[in-house]
């Protein structure tokens, strides 16, 4: 047992408290500094992209970048129209969403409204394993398994093509759509379902006409996030979709996405500061801008269209 | 009952069609199971293909040899060492930074605009494509800080990439600690940091570790940012210092997959199997920790 401090000891104790306050403040400052790293990262991304992109547009007119339809920075006659790369990104992402949105949404509705609790707790983590597989592995899968398989059905499918890259990318983002949509569906209050059942609705009607519309903001946000992931996805398209920048929406021929182009240049011995070094930052900025818009849009959708029941 | 109630006007227009409507539900049930099974079948197909190709190549030498132009002499030693070195520094940097950020956001920051800004910023960073982090690493770490295309440059890039994941996971773990524990600690005169260090963090630790393991397993499989900062594809040595050039396991997979010869695809499959085993081990550990945390909270 400690004895109560005598009057003479009190100032000493108080001084120790001052030390304690100082330490508390120092720790608080250290934590704030750590939290600021996140903000610095964003600033770093924007500044590093912007710096090199401005240098690029010092040498290539910005109008050419957005109006030309050929991308040939490695040829002797250089053309810097970004559209072949953008069209390839749009094509592979569209194929991926065409697979992932219906499969993911049906899986989400099934897991949330039809499956028993036991089945859901078994299936949901299993599906999430799909999202944990490294993308380089998916690229390998697309090139060595899916493409040879699809060549049996699709005439004229070349070794590198948008179809199998998009398909495998779709498989990769199924769990993203399924998991986020399932969260949104599960968050709809039970009272809404009970009300619908009381009116004589079947389980299917409750799921599709009551729960799904109530959760629509979360569902749309999950689709936008999936699209953003597909647009930024790199290894699958770099391995399986080719490195052939042409403006084409034919899913059977080799193309080159924005991300695959950055990989192609990074693999070569591009001298620092050269024009082809600067191109990857111009393409990177375009990519960052597109994904940034989609991320902001998904936040906005959730805020704007959320249905609150309380 | 039904016979006693007088028929409502227009009742003859109402067709319950119960069998059709219930049939729709059953059809949807089949479709739902099929969707889930489709995803899982793809996963099974992938794993089966990889294992089948990899088995003839799984020898001890595969782990202890460097890469080679000849497929029968090629191994993943350089990739394993490179990944291990890089991950050591990645965790060393991202773990304290991420946990400290999360503590600030959850335990220190008041609900005012700086917190909102940091929070939105982190959510947004999580959505930035990994290859853009590679471009950031190239300008800031490789060029500006003049670290070169080194292990340390790779580790710093990866640390920034996984930081949002660690912060969000740690915040969730901290939020799960009941506030009564904090109140009790403050009640006996503890300071804010004493409360966090002695009471909140020990409770949240399993959740924090789970989040960090998942973040690390994300970083191990990432390929694109490493290609962008210029990690090598063909390396006959292991890095001796953090400033040495290096390769990583996913880069070796990418390199072998890009070759036209089928033997190199088989080698890629063997390297993929190694990578998947590492990831599976880490994820099992994470699940184990999570289950223990749940049990402790329940008990």
């Amino acid at each position: 047992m400690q004895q109560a401090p005598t009057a003479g000891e009190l100032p000493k104790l108080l001084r120790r408290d001052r030390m304690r306050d100082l330490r508390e403040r120092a720790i608080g400052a250290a934590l704030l500094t750590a939290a600021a790293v996140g903000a610095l990262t964003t600033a770093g991304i924007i500044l590093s992209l912007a710096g090199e992109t401005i240098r690029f547009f010092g040498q290539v007119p910005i109008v050419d970048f957005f109006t030309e339809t050929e991308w040939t920075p490695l040829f002797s006659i250089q053309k810097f129209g970004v559209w072949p790369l953008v069209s390839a990104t749009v094509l592979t992402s569209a194929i991926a969403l065409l697979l992932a949105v219906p499969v993911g949404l049906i899986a989400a509705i099934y897991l949330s409204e039809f499956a028993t609790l036991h089945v859901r707790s078994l299936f949901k983590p299993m599906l999430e394993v799909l999202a944990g597989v490294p993308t380089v592995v998916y690229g390998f899968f697309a090139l060595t398994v899916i493409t040879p398989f699809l060549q049996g059905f699709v005439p004229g499918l070349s070794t590198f093509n948008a179809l199998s890259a998009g398909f495998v990318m779709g498989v990769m983002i199924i769990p993203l759509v399924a998991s986020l949509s399932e969260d949104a569906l599960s968050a709809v209050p039970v009272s809404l379902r009970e009300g619908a059942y009381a009116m004589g609705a079947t389980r299917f009607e409750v799921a599709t006409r009551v729960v799904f519309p109530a959760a629509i903001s979360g569902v749309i946000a999950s689709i936008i996030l999936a699209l953003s992931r597909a647009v930024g996805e790199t290894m699958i398209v770099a391995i399986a979709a080719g490195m052939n920048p042409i403006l084409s929406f034919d899913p059977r021929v080799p193309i080159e996405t924005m991300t695959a182009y950055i990989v192609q240049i990074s693999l070569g011995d591009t001298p620092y500061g050269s024009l082809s070094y600067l191109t990857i930052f111009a393409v990177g900025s375009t990519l960052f801008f597109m994904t940034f818009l989609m991320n902001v849009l998904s936040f906005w959708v959730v805020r704007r269209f959320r249905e609150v029941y309380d | 009952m039904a016979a006693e109630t007088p028929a409502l006007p227009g009742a003859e227009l109402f067709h319950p069609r119960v069998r059709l409507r219930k049939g729709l539900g059953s059809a949807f049930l089949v479709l739902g199971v099929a969707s889930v099974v489709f995803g899982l079948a793809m996963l099974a197909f992938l794993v089966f293909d990889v294992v089948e190709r990899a088995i003839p190549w799984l020898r001890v030498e595969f782990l202890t040899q460097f890469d080679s132009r000849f497929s029968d002499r090629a191994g993943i030693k350089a990739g394993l060492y490179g990944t291990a070195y890089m991950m050591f520094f990645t965790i060393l940097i991202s773990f304290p930074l991420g946990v400290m950020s999360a503590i600030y956001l959850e335990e220190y920051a008041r609900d005012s605009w700086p917190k909102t800004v940091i929070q939105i910023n982190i959510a947004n960073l999580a959505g930035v494509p990994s290859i853009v982090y590679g471009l950031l690493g190239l300008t800031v770490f490789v060029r500006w800080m003049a670290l070169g295309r080194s292990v340390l440059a790779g580790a710093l890039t990866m640390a920034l990439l996984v930081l949002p994941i660690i912060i969000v996971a740690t915040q969730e773990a901290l939020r799960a600690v009941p506030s009564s524990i904090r109140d009790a600690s403050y009640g006996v005169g503890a300071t804010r940091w004493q409360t966090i260090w002695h009471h909140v963090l020990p409770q949240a630790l399993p959740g924090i570790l789970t989040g960090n393991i998942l973040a690390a397993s994300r970083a191990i499989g990432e390929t694109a940012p490493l290609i962008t900062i210029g990690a090598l594809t063909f390396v006959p040595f292991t890095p001796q210092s953090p400033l040495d050039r290096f390769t990583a396991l996913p880069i070796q997979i990418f390199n072998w997959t890009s070759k036209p010869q089928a033997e190199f695809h088989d080698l890629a499959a063997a390297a993929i199997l190694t990578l998947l085993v590492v990831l599976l081990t880490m994820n099992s550990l994470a699940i184990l920790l999570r289950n223990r945390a749940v049990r402790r909270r329940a008990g």
Side-chain angles (χ1 to χ4, degrees):
Chain A
M1 269 300 204
Q2 243 179 333
Q3 285 197 333
T6 61
E9 281 171 338
L10 263 176
K12 212 192 274 175
L13 280 173
L14 285 175
R15 203 174 312 132
R16 222 170 67 212
D17 272 5
R18 223 176 292 139
M19 277 303 292
R20 200 172 74 165
D21 287 350
L22 207 64
R23 198 186 62 191
E24 286 289 317
R25 237 179 264 166
I27 288 169
L31 294 176
L32 176 62
T33 314
V37 170
L40 284 179
T41 309
T42 306
I45 288 173
I46 292 171
L47 289 179
S48 62
L49 286 179
E52 307 288 32
T53 305
I54 288 168
R55 285 174 66 195
F56 173 77
F57 284 129
Q59 299 180 43
V60 174
I62 191 164
V63 177
D64 288 5
F65 189 71
F66 288 112
T67 56
E68 295 234 27
T69 53
E70 278 179 273
W71 180 260
T72 57
L74 303 177
F75 293 179
S76 51
I77 303 171
Q78 294 180 315
K79 294 271 180 82
F80 296 97
V82 77
W83 292 111
L85 303 181
V86 173
S87 70
T89 296
V90 169
L91 179 61
T92 49
S93 306
I95 294 169
L97 284 198
L98 228 50
L99 174 71
V101 169
V103 175
L105 286 188
I106 290 172
I109 295 173
Y110 163 70
L111 289 176
S112 162
E113 305 301 314
F114 285 79
T116 60
L117 212 61
H118 180 71
V119 170
R120 191 206 306 192
S121 64
L122 191 75
F123 273 168
K124 210 182 170 191
M126 277 169 87
L127 265 185
E128 277 164 4
V129 172
L130 272 178
V133 174
T135 57
V136 68
V137 176
Y138 277 119
F140 173 86
F141 186 59
L143 181 69
T144 65
V145 179
I146 297 299
T147 297
F149 176 75
L150 287 178
Q151 274 169 336
F153 303 92
V154 184
L157 190 71
S158 43
T159 312
F160 301 105
N161 60 78
L163 184 61
S164 59
F167 177 85
V168 172
M169 207 147 83
V171 172
M172 180 189 80
I173 57 180
I174 286 172
L176 188 77
V177 177
S179 196
L180 291 177
S181 297
E182 203 265 336
D183 289 344
L185 294 169
S186 300
V188 173
V190 185
S191 56
L192 256 73
R193 296 186 183 84
E194 286 166 345
Y197 281 125
M199 300 291 287
T202 63
R203 187 189 284 216
F204 179 69
E205 288 157 354
V206 170
T208 54
R209 298 197 202 163
V210 176
V211 181
F212 191 79
I216 196 72
S217 67
V219 169
I220 292 176
S222 82
I223 294 172
I224 298 172
L225 285 181
L227 178 62
S228 159
R229 179 72 59 85
V231 167
E233 170 46 39
T234 307
M235 295 319 294
I236 299 175
V237 284
I239 291 172
M243 294 194 168
N244 179 32
I246 53 163
L247 187 57
S248 161
F249 285 103
D250 183 349
R252 298 169 304 165
V253 299
I255 48 167
E256 182 168 50
T257 64
M258 295 190 281
T259 50
Y261 175 74
I262 299 175
V263 167
Q264 187 192 3
I265 294 297
S266 303
L267 286 172
D269 285 319
T270 315
Y272 170 69
S274 67
L275 190 54
S276 52
Y277 173 85
L278 295 179
T279 54
I280 61 175
F281 288 92
V283 173
S285 297
T286 315
L287 179 68
F288 177 73
F289 188 67
M290 286 170 73
T291 53
F292 178 77
L293 276 188
M294 283 183 267
N295 294 339
V296 170
L297 189 66
S298 81
F299 288 137
W300 182 77
V301 165
V302 169
R303 283 210 179 166
R304 176 72 181 72
F305 293 104
R306 173 183 284 158
E307 310 230 344
V308 184
Y309 304 97
D310 259 327
Chain B
M1 280 285 280
E4 287 163 28
T5 11
L8 292 167
E12 69 280 0
L13 294 174
F14 176 63
H15 303 291
R17 291 178 302 172
V18 171
R19 275 183 65 184
L20 174 74
R21 288 160 60 206
K22 289 210 160 165
L24 270 177
S26 311
F28 188 85
L29 186 68
V30 173
L31 212 59
V33 175
S35 308
V36 176
V37 168
F38 170 78
L40 298 182
M42 281 291 152
L43 184 65
F45 196 15
L46 188 158
V47 171
F48 179 76
D49 177 68
V50 165
V51 170
E52 194 192 20
R53 280 165 177 265
I55 279 178
W57 298 86
L58 289 179
R59 296 164 295 143
V60 181
E61 293 86 64
F62 180 69
L63 300 177
T64 58
Q65 282 170 336
F66 288 114
D67 196 359
S68 164
R69 286 184 294 124
F70 307 102
S71 56
D72 54 334
R73 275 195 240 151
I76 53 170
K77 184 176 180 182
L80 279 180
Y81 274 76
T83 291
Y85 273 104
M86 189 193 74
M87 285 311 299
F88 173 75
F89 287 107
T90 301
I91 294 168
L92 204 67
I93 298 158
S94 62
F95 183 96
L97 267 184
V99 173
M100 283 167 74
S101 303
I103 293 176
Y104 176 77
L105 287 173
E106 278 307 304
E107 309 285 335
Y108 277 76
R110 288 191 200 90
D111 282 324
S112 59
W113 67 267
K115 183 181 171 178
T116 318
V117 168
I118 295 177
Q119 201 72 68
I120 290 175
N121 181 32
I122 286 164
N124 194 45
L125 279 176
V128 173
S130 63
I131 196 158
V132 171
Y133 281 95
L135 293 174
L136 169 74
L138 181 63
T139 34
V140 174
F141 302 130
V142 176
R143 300 284 170 205
W144 188 59
M145 289 170 72
L147 296 172
R149 302 167 186 280
S150 61
V151 175
L152 196 58
L156 283 163
T157 308
M158 282 299 183
L160 292 186
L161 176 69
V162 297
L163 206 54
I165 307 173
I166 295 178
I167 294 175
V168 170
T170 307
Q171 278 188 289
E172 272 167 21
L174 291 173
R175 232 173 280 151
V177 177
S179 57
S180 55
I181 289 183
R182 293 183 188 85
D183 296 343
S185 175
Y186 287 132
V188 294
T191 63
R192 190 185 293 226
W193 179 248
Q194 285 167 337
T195 303
I196 293 167
W197 183 253
H198 293 285
H199 304 285
V200 179
L201 277 182
Q203 282 276 321
L205 194 62
I208 294 174
L209 287 180
T210 305
N212 274 278
I213 293 170
L214 292 180
S217 66
R218 164 88 190 277
I220 284 184
E222 270 296 344
T223 322
L226 294 183
I227 293 177
T228 314
I229 65 154
L232 295 166
T233 47
F234 187 89
V235 179
F237 56 83
T238 54
Q240 300 303 312
S241 92
L243 292 175
D244 281 351
R245 300 201 65 177
F246 73 112
T247 190
L249 198 49
I251 302 246
Q252 280 202 296
I253 294 169
F254 171 65
N255 190 30
W256 284 335
T257 306
S258 312
K259 295 193 178 203
Q261 300 95 326
E263 307 96 82
F264 280 104
H265 289 177
D266 293 350
L267 275 175
I272 287 172
L273 190 59
T274 318
L275 182 63
L276 290 183
V277 168
V278 172
L279 289 177
L280 195 67
T281 315
M282 292 174 65
N283 284 315
S284 312
L285 199 66
I287 291 169
L288 212 71
L289 274 168
R290 187 164 58 188
N291 288 349
R292 250 184 61 182
V294 168
R295 223 179 310 139
R296 207 167 66 179
R297 219 168 287 142

